[in-house]
Amino acid sequence: MGRVRRTLALAGVLAMAGSLGACQQQSKKCDFRTGEYGVCTIDTTGGGSSVDLGFHIDPAKSGNDFNDSYLFRQVEGGVASFSAMGQDFSCTQGETIPVGKGFADCLEVGEDHLKVRIYVGDPPE
């Protein structure tokens, strides 16, 4: 009897984990050139997925330092929150904010959704 309960409990946990993972969707498109510019457009629904930017937005980093990363947190009341360089930021749709030595364009903000373009330098349009 105990084995059946454990099996059912495990099946329930796996089903819940699968449904949580299904809520997260993410796509990214990045382009960077050392010493010139770096740009990533990241479209995320559901929080918790980290993205390697492939370039530095932290002014203290250079050379062989690890690249900076981006993490979408949440949207509350039309304000999206995310982390980059280990710092927290927030923005509304259409807003451009400074992020380290770069900028973040908050292109789309929706319920549990953020499409953001993070860049340094002067990327081509």
Side-chain angles (χ1 to χ4, degrees):
M1 188 79 161
R3 185 175 191 175
V4 172
R5 284 187 202 157
R6 282 191 300 251
T7 302
L8 290 175
L10 179 60
V13 169
L14 291 174
M16 189 174 8
S19 67
L20 290 174
C23 295
Q24 293 180 343
Q25 296 178 351
Q26 181 171 274
S27 65
K28 77 171 186 172
K29 181 180 179 188
C30 295
D31 187 19
F32 50 91
R33 297 196 182 126
T34 304
E36 292 182 38
Y37 71 91
V39 60
C40 277
T41 301
I42 307 150
D43 194 347
T44 306
T45 300
S49 295
S50 181
V51 173
D52 178 13
L53 296 176
F55 54 88
H56 304 301
I57 54 177
D58 184 337
K61 288 186 175 181
S62 66
N64 293 328
D65 284 341
F66 290 111
N67 297 325
D68 283 312
S69 62
Y70 157 88
L71 175 66
F72 171 56
R73 298 275 185 206
Q74 67 180 3
V75 174
E76 190 173 311
V79 179
S81 59
F82 64 93
S83 296
M85 326 174 306
Q87 297 179 14
D88 293 329
F89 298 92
S90 60
C91 61
T92 58
Q93 185 166 314
E95 186 176 14
T96 297
I97 60 170
V99 176
K101 64 181 181 183
F103 295 92
D105 297 330
C106 293
L107 305 172
E108 296 174 16
V109 176
E111 184 177 324
D112 203 27
H113 171 250
L114 174 61
K115 182 174 183 180
V116 63
R117 180 172 77 162
I118 298 177
Y119 60 96
V120 294
D122 192 17
E125 290 298 318

